[in-house]
Amino acid sequence: MQDTLPSLPRRHLLAGTAGALAAAGLGTWSQAAAAQTQAAAKPLPAYAAWKSDSSLIVHSSNTLETRRSAFGSSVITPSEQLYVRNNLPPPDAAVLADRDAWVLTIEGVQHPRDLTLGQLKSLGLETVATVLQCSGNGRGFFPSKPSGTPWTVGAAGCVMWSGVPLRRVAEALGGVADGMAYITGTGGEKLPEGIDPKSIVVERSVPLKALEDALLAWEMNGAPIPLAHGGPLRLIVPGYQGVNNIKYVKRLAFTASESQAKIMSHGYRVTPPGAKADPSQPSVLEMSVKSWINSPHADGAPLTAGMVQIHGVAFGGTEAVKRVEVSTDGGKTWREARFVGPDLGKFAWRQFALTAELPAGTHLLASRATDAAGNVQPEARVENVGGYNNTSWRDHAVQVTVA
């Protein structure tokens, strides 16, 4: 294998990029809140011990959720408050000892080869803000109680990533080979011995159109990516659900077909109730328009009657969010909220706020977002076995008591 790269353009890129909830909804919220209270007693796992334990709900050693009350009113989610979802235990922290020595194998290009992280850093640079969200975020609101972590809103965050655009890497290696339709990323977690690797490896395929925005990132929120979030190198696919943003990426292949790994062929499929997962069902790929209110929230503390700032977050997946409406009466009436803070690009979320007067009583606060393509956040969830892709504004509404 040759040691020199094909010639590159000299220019590197840097870009900044009715009334109350239905009984099922209320019941689901109460159950989720109880589960979170119980989970809060668990300690942070060692690899994430640097995180803010008061901001997180520890569901398991591989699943940490940001508390709704911890999101605050800024756009970027601090790293110490960001959720964690690992499909496998992370690799040994020794992989971070010499980050630039990490090796990525690149296939499906005219000149396939291995590149170290140090070499990747010479090929280009871009910074992009994206919403990182687990596809099961909102699973805790499903009355069917799907298996898996009962996330409510906290398996999401808005993160700033820096790295080299994947398109630049492909160009440097002669371009994508003919006939390729997917980008397939393989994670570098250590796999258990004695079992078929395809049954457990974290390997996902996304459509080739994602090449325009995909990033091989080594920095998160201005610092090297920590082990808990996929360092030293992570594939970032803006606008796509978190599982497609491969941690510890060790192989990047342009492929003619989707990966045959179980996590792709049968995992993360939107399976109808009563059915079994299979490759013909939709996979969790692009995110769609969604929003929720972060404050005031259903933490049991009564509010004082009068004016209140209602604020939350909204995003559109692969489309920019264009508008957010807020209801204080469970969706009977809506008022348009205003965006606050900077616009960090179409893949980031926007903070929204509405000043409203809340008299004494019980109020159901809801938000409803619309993206730039005209898609409106739906009222109802799409029922499915895995509890994926819940964008229901009614599920995400919060009930508050005003004294």
Side-chain angles (χ1 to χ4, degrees), residues 7 16 19 28 46 89 102 110 112 115-116 174 204 261 271 374 386:
S7 61
T28 304
W102 181 263
Q110 296 297 334
L115 292 174
T116 66
R204 296 279 298 176
T271 305

Side-chain angles (χ1 to χ4, degrees), residues 319-320 322 370-375:
E319 299 283 348
K322 181 180 180 181
T370 302
D371 69 19
N375 300 301

Side-chain angles (χ1 to χ4, degrees), residues 373-398:
N375 300 301
V376 180
Q377 183 177 357
E379 178 176 0
R381 74 186 83 85
V382 175
E383 301 293 346
N384 64 91
V385 172
Y388 296 129
N389 295 354
N390 188 357
T391 59
S392 161
W393 63 253
R394 185 167 290 280
D395 275 356
H396 289 79
V398 292

Side-chain angles (χ1 to χ4, degrees), residues 269-295:
R269 295 283 169 171
V270 184
T271 305
K276 291 186 177 181
D278 70 62
S280 70
Q281 297 158 357
S283 186
V284 295
L285 294 171
E286 295 174 313
M287 295 184 291
S288 53
V289 65
K290 185 173 181 177
S291 71
W292 63 81
I293 289 166
N294 284 324
S295 182

Side-chain angles (χ1 to χ4, degrees), residues 313-333:
V313 296
F315 54 97
T318 57
E319 299 283 348
V321 65
K322 181 180 180 181
R323 181 186 187 209
V324 179
E325 301 163 283
V326 170
S327 174
T328 59
D329 55 13
K332 291 180 180 178
T333 61

Side-chain angles (χ1 to χ4, degrees), residues 299-314:
D299 62 356
L303 303 173
T304 301
M307 301 302 292
V308 63
Q309 285 290 331
I310 302 170
H311 65 83
V313 296

Side-chain angles (χ1 to χ4, degrees), residues 312-315 320-325 336-343 349-354 369-370:
V313 296
F315 54 97
V321 65
K322 181 180 180 181
R323 181 186 187 209
V324 179
E325 301 163 283
E336 186 164 355
R338 62 185 178 89
F339 289 125
V340 296
D343 182 351
W349 65 28
R350 298 297 308 273
Q351 292 277 349
F352 64 85
L354 178 75
T370 302

